[in-house]
Structure formats: C-alpha cells, structure tokens
Amino acid sequence: MSDTAPQAAGTVPESGRGAGPDEQQEQREHDPSAPAPLGVLRVPTGDAEVDTLLDRLADADHLATDGHVEVYEDVHRGLRDALTALDARPGPPAPPVSYQHRS
C-alpha cells in the first residue's frame, strides 16, 4: 500500500514533471501554432557528409520559426564547405595535346 493519494486525471504530478511524450505530441497536434515537421522527404545523396548535413535539417522541425535560421545557416555553411572541398581536390589529369594531326 502506498502513502500517496491517487492523482486525478489531467493533473500535473507533484514531482513537477509535465505531460509525457505522448501527451506532448497530442497537445502539438491540437495546437496549430506549435512547431510541426514539414514532412519533406529527404532522399540520401550517397555522400555521407552531405547526407549528415541534410539530416540536420530535421532539427528545425521541432523548433519555433525563429530557431530555423541557426539550423539553416549551419547546414548552408556545411554544404558550402563541401562544395569548396570539391574544388580543392585534384581531378583527373588532362589528356595530352597532340599536334601531330594537323590539317
């Protein structure tokens, strides 16, 4: 037997904890102003670095609009760095120029 009284439904426990994850999800579904995922499908690119950056976009799904800027700037910076790195990599050697076939 417990010394604590039963808790009425819908009240916050004395421990100070709020609603559980299921209850929070339900509240978000009923609150149109709450952050919600956009439901944009992210297709893997095959490049692990780029895929990790694109997965980071999911972080914005749970933030208020003013928090999106930081995520977007972080992803943009990473993608820009990945593209810059492509320019720095040596490419295949240029084919030799043949001047023997003059017309």
Side-chain angles (χ1 to χ4, degrees):
M1 181 170 211
S2 173
D3 292 339
T4 60
Q7 189 169 339
T11 61
V12 176
E14 289 181 19
S15 66
R17 289 184 26 208
D22 292 337
E23 293 175 33
Q24 291 173 352
Q25 177 65 26
E26 187 175 313
Q27 289 172 356
R28 278 187 293 239
E29 290 173 1
H30 298 298
D31 182 4
S33 65
L38 294 175
V40 176
L41 179 65
R42 292 176 191 88
V43 179
T45 64
D47 183 298
E49 180 182 3
V50 172
D51 289 342
T52 300
L53 289 164
L54 294 178
D55 287 344
R56 168 107 166 83
L57 290 173
D59 293 347
D61 287 347
H62 309 290
L63 298 173
T65 307
D66 58 349
H68 291 191
V69 173
E70 181 182 344
V71 173
Y72 294 157
E73 286 179 348
D74 183 42
V75 172
H76 181 259
R77 186 179 318 107
L79 291 173
R80 188 178 58 233
D81 292 346
L83 287 172
T84 301
L86 288 175
D87 288 339
R89 292 183 193 157
V97 179
S98 174
Y99 293 105
Q100 296 174 358
H101 294 80
R102 294 184 185 171
S103 347

